[in-house]
Amino acid sequence: MSAEQVRMGVMKLIGIRSSGSREELAARVPKAWRELASRLGEIENVVDPGVFYGVVPEADHHKLEGQGSYTYLCCARVRSGRSVPKGMESLIVPAQRYAQVTVRGGTAELTKATIELARFFAQNALAPNKKAFGLERFDDAATPPPRSVAGLAIRLDQVGHDPSEVAPRQVDAERTGDARPHVLLAAL
């Protein structure tokens, strides 16, 4: 597993927002993913109904544990976001450079991905862009969206530190056995 730098163009997304403490999001985000999956037919102009995006304001990753409220959006990419179903919102993610790593597996692989992102940032003397969005991309059309908040357990506030200092984070137990690959993108 190795991180690479990628550039993504502007993305228009429509999805469901969840906010709260990390503990509250552990329950709210899986519900939001299920709701998005069940209501996907209400969203017009979906680019690919098998690809989903978890979106986190990058600044949320840099809050101290237990400090403030965190936000996670469960989204689908659309060609245009003119018509937004009730209870959903549209979001435009500007073109951005990202450090990208693909995760295949549960807790151990998520921890490795976090460490790899930290190594990438340190090795390239880069820092995460706290004004941008961090993304998770899930590309499995055969399986509904993620069942837990794996991305919230991967604390990108540790990115930019010496990789040997990155502490493994406990990941939601529901996610541990999920071997479905997904991509983490930390904004540069």
Side-chain angles (χ1 to χ4, degrees):
M1 163 186 323
S2 65
E4 63 181 342
Q5 190 174 147
V6 297
R7 179 156 183 86
M8 295 181 63
V10 173
M11 289 195 306
K12 297 173 185 174
L13 304 172
I14 291 181
I16 299 169
R17 176 184 296 263
S18 296
S19 296
S21 68
R22 289 180 193 253
E23 293 77 23
E24 291 168 330
L25 287 182
R28 291 177 183 165
V29 170
K31 288 177 185 174
W33 279 122
R34 286 190 296 273
E35 181 181 350
L36 180 67
S38 71
R39 296 181 61 197
L40 193 60
E42 296 175 36
I43 302 173
E44 295 177 6
N45 301 309
V46 173
V47 172
D48 185 341
V51 177
F52 298 92
Y53 291 87
V55 182
V56 179
E58 196 68 45
D60 278 13
H61 287 302
H62 301 275
K63 293 178 182 176
L64 296 175
E65 186 77 35
Q67 302 257 329
S69 182
Y70 301 87
T71 300
Y72 189 96
L73 290 98
C74 305
C75 300
R77 187 173 182 181
V78 296
R79 287 180 191 82
S80 79
R82 292 188 185 126
S83 176
V84 180
K86 186 175 181 175
M88 295 187 193
E89 62 184 75
S90 65
L91 173 70
I92 295 178
V93 177
Q96 179 72 43
R97 290 181 311 135
Y98 291 90
Q100 171 182 288
V101 65
T102 300
V103 180
R104 289 180 176 83
T107 304
E109 294 305 309
L110 288 167
T111 299
K112 287 178 189 176
T114 302
I115 292 170
E116 174 56 21
L117 285 172
R119 185 206 59 77
F120 177 87
F121 276 85
Q123 189 174 53
N124 293 289
L126 296 169
N129 180 350
K130 294 180 185 179
K131 295 180 180 177
F133 294 103
L135 304 173
E136 288 185 289
R137 187 181 69 228
F138 299 89
D139 298 330
D140 189 351
T143 309
R147 298 172 303 183
S148 67
V149 289
L152 296 173
I154 295 178
R155 292 286 309 280
L156 295 180
D157 58 346
Q158 297 172 356
V159 168
H161 292 81
D162 180 334
S164 65
E165 296 174 2
V166 175
R169 306 299 297 180
Q170 183 175 358
V171 177
D172 185 278
E174 226 183 318
R175 181 81 181 160
T176 303
D178 191 347
R180 182 171 42 145
H182 71 280
V183 177
L184 298 177
L185 297 128
L188 301 176

